[in-house]
Amino acid sequence: MPRQLHQPDRYPLTSKYDAAWLLDLDMGPNPLWLLEDLARDLALKPGMRVLDLGSGRGATSVFLAREFGVDVVAADLWVDPAQAAATFAQAGVQVEAIRAEAHALPFEANAFDAIVSIDAYEYFGTADSYLAYITRFLKPGGRLAIATPAMRQEIRDLGEIPAHIKACVGWEAVAWHTAEWWRFHWAITGLVTVTAARLQETGWADWLHWARAGRSPGRDSVIAMLEADRGELLTFALVTAIK
Ligand SMILES: C[S@@+](CC[C@H](N)C(=O)[O-])C[C@H]1O[C@@H](n2cnc3c(N)ncnc32)[C@H](O)[C@@H]1O
């Protein structure tokens, strides 16, 4: 029996997409809801060259190409690019799919107008040196925009990874930060100007809603984490900066 996904009204662009298609591409929480919200802080225009970094099974790249008419490169480590390419062909969008490790990207400097990363940057982007590396691929004036699992308080300030979070994701939660952590971490370098760094007010509720409908193998433990959290700590951060 397929699970139902009721799409919230606050994501009108995503609501046009078939829920079963979205859930078939599930690798983590509500990528298109995150991207639709993040895109409000971006100024994407047709013809721009955009890197979707950690693009997974490709729903976000389809959305970028269709909704904004941008020219997308979908780069991911775990997903076979042939599988992503089949999704793009089926969706009727021209998106280049490549396998790439986020620290060894096969691009020229200044190659992109925007780099977008949905629920992926936390896997590779928290090291102090990473911003200097990734912004090398942005044109001057280009934008870096991420949606990443976030905390309402820093784990450093809490003194530990809360038990309900540790039970689900273990040590990996050390990469989950507040929006202000991201703002400072990027702004202090002088490499970019941070134009938005916000926590999603509906992030926890969206995440739980998606997890309940989703099909990923770890969903029960994600649901348990979110239910125990009650929205007190967990949400998503949406961070955008201009080079
Ligand atoms: C939770 S999935 C999200 C995928 C997709 N953005 C979405 O929201 O559906 C995280 C993605 O990050 C990618 N990833 C993790 N570490 C990476 C790395 N070092 N380089 C490139 N991609 C990486 C994985 O391949 C995976 O597809």
Side-chain angles (χ1 to χ4, degrees), residues 67-242:
E67 303 303 326
F68 302 102
V70 294
D71 182 7
V72 185
V73 177
D76 195 78
L77 185 60
W78 305 337
V79 173
D80 181 352
Q83 191 191 334
T87 298
F88 301 144
Q90 223 169 21
V93 291
Q94 295 281 338
V95 172
E96 183 188 353
I98 63 163
R99 193 186 301 272
E101 205 290 317
H103 299 86
L105 296 172
F107 308 116
E108 304 281 320
N110 303 335
F112 295 99
D113 297 289
I115 298 175
V116 172
S117 187
I118 305 297
D119 188 25
Y121 203 81
E122 64 276 11
Y123 292 104
F124 48 76
T126 54
D128 295 343
S129 55
Y130 194 71
L131 186 70
Y133 174 73
I134 194 65
T135 53
R136 164 193 319 178
F137 302 105
L138 277 178
K139 296 175 186 168
R143 292 173 198 240
L144 174 64
I146 67 168
T148 186
M151 302 282 293
R152 292 184 182 278
Q153 288 179 65
E154 279 296 315
I155 286 171
R156 177 175 291 271
D157 296 335
L158 294 170
E160 60 181 3
I161 300 173
H164 65 286
I165 299 175
K166 199 167 189 178
C168 180
V169 295
W171 65 266
E172 291 189 26
V174 294
W176 296 1
H177 291 285
T178 60
E180 284 314 304
W181 185 92
W182 283 105
R183 181 190 291 282
F184 183 85
H185 191 63
W186 287 5
I188 195 69
T189 65
L191 295 168
V192 294
T193 301
V194 177
T195 50
R198 57 189 172 95
L199 289 183
Q200 264 195 322
E201 280 317 308
T202 58
W204 169 82
D206 285 353
W207 191 348
L208 182 56
H209 183 58
W210 176 272
R212 285 181 174 148
R215 294 164 188 183
S216 63
R219 63 181 281 277
D220 289 344
S221 112
V222 172
I223 291 168
M225 171 180 75
L226 292 168
E227 286 178 344
D229 189 76
R230 297 187 308 226
E232 285 170 14
L233 288 170
L234 293 171
T235 179
F236 268 77
L238 306 180
V239 191
T240 304
I242 299 187

